[in-house]
Amino acid sequence: MRIDPKAAPTSRRIHKRGQKKKVHLIAPGKCRGMIQAESRLEVSGAIAMALDPRVVSFRPQPITFDLATGRGYNHKADLTAQASKISTHKRIYTPDFEVTFPRGKVYIEFKHSGIIRRAPEVLMLPNILARYGHRLILIDESYLPETFVQNSRLLHIATKTRIDPEASKAILTDCEKPMLIGNLCAQGYSQNFVLALVASGGLTCDLATSRLTPKTSVIKSAHAQHLMQLPFHNV
């Protein structure tokens, strides 16, 4: 269900009236409008995808599959209606996201390892979709350690900061060698401006094991490897 008219259509409703399950709202870059997510892990994954330079764009709840036939439906209700007409058993699955990369599209499912242990059949989803010509990447919380999640949320906020080209050129020159964020702020740069450059890939630092603080060391980046936390190999 769309809560934002600018957002892409979704295949199914995430939150039903009367449910007590918490719904998370977020407006990540590379994704149209405000979207709903079912878990904190999905939110963290959406932020990580928005920062990842390998990702072109993505959208949530893109399609619902009948796993028995491989047929995809734009709306889950269409699949349910079709199955009821012919009295067939429904094997329904809706991926969390459809992600567009320069070389094509891939479906992504974020699932906590605890849920996978309780329902190990989830591990079969990539193989099932592969039979029908689709690629699904299953991602658990091990790819999104808490330190990286907290840092990426700070970077997500900082992406709203305008990057002045002249100031960016100057700071990147200063950061040919490692510089502390606190020292850059002492030179007159705002912390959000410095973090915006980290989020854009112009500057790099350790996001996975150390929290971002004024004592964080940053340096000019050529590859933005620090933003490539998710297992998007050969996509």
Side-chain angles (χ1 to χ4, degrees):
M1 179 183 69
R2 282 189 295 175
I3 60 168
D4 183 346
K6 296 179 182 177
T10 57
S11 179
R12 68 178 179 89
R13 177 189 292 270
I14 289 178
H15 181 67
K16 295 181 180 179
R17 292 182 180 88
Q19 281 188 333
K20 294 182 179 180
K21 183 171 62 176
K22 184 177 181 181
V23 173
H24 303 259
L25 304 178
I26 186 173
K30 301 182 183 177
C31 185
R32 286 167 46 191
M34 178 80 69
I35 65 172
Q36 295 177 311
E38 292 180 293
S39 68
R40 184 175 183 272
L41 181 60
E42 281 185 32
V43 172
S44 300
I47 291 173
M49 291 192 296
L51 293 171
D52 195 315
R54 297 168 295 181
V55 173
V56 176
S57 64
F58 62 94
R59 65 189 185 103
Q61 310 290 323
I63 190 171
T64 293
F65 287 105
D66 178 355
L67 295 181
T69 64
R71 184 176 177 182
Y73 295 78
N74 289 331
H75 301 285
K76 180 180 177 180
D78 295 337
L79 169 54
T80 304
Q82 178 69 18
S84 64
K85 287 179 182 178
I86 58 178
S87 300
T88 60
H89 176 66
K90 303 183 294 296
R91 296 181 63 195
I92 297 173
Y93 170 62
T94 304
D96 288 335
F97 296 98
E98 177 189 77
V99 182
T100 300
F101 296 93
R103 294 194 295 178
K105 295 182 179 181
V106 174
Y107 295 110
I108 303 295
E109 179 74 25
F110 290 99
K111 194 72 71 178
H112 197 280
S113 59
I115 296 177
I116 295 174
R117 283 194 297 272
R118 293 193 297 272
E121 60 272 18
V122 170
L123 296 172
M124 295 302 299
L125 288 172
N127 289 335
I128 294 172
L129 287 188
R131 296 176 198 159
Y132 303 120
H134 305 291
R135 183 176 179 186
L136 172 71
I137 299 176
L138 185 62
I139 302 175
D140 67 14
E141 75 280 3
S142 66
Y143 291 97
L144 293 165
E146 186 60 25
T147 298
F148 178 83
V149 168
Q150 294 297 328
N151 287 336
S152 63
R153 288 175 184 241
L154 288 176
L155 298 183
H156 169 64
I157 295 171
T159 57
K160 314 300 181 184
T161 302
R162 178 180 175 274
I163 298 179
D164 179 75
E166 290 302 317
S168 174
K169 182 178 179 180
I171 198 172
L172 293 179
T173 299
D174 291 340
C175 291
E176 293 283 354
K177 59 182 184 303
M179 292 281 288
L180 299 182
I181 290 178
N183 289 346
L184 291 170
C185 292
Q187 294 179 21
Y189 301 109
S190 72
Q191 178 172 291
N192 269 354
F193 178 70
V194 176
L195 295 183
L197 287 175
V198 175
S200 70
L203 295 175
T204 186
C205 63
D206 175 16
L207 296 178
T209 62
S210 300
R211 290 290 301 272
L212 287 167
T213 72
K215 294 183 178 179
T216 298
S217 178
V218 296
I219 190 170
K220 184 177 179 180
S221 171
H223 306 293
Q225 196 69 35
H226 61 294
L227 301 173
M228 303 180 194
Q229 182 73 17
L230 298 172
F232 294 154
H233 312 301
N234 302 317
V235 292

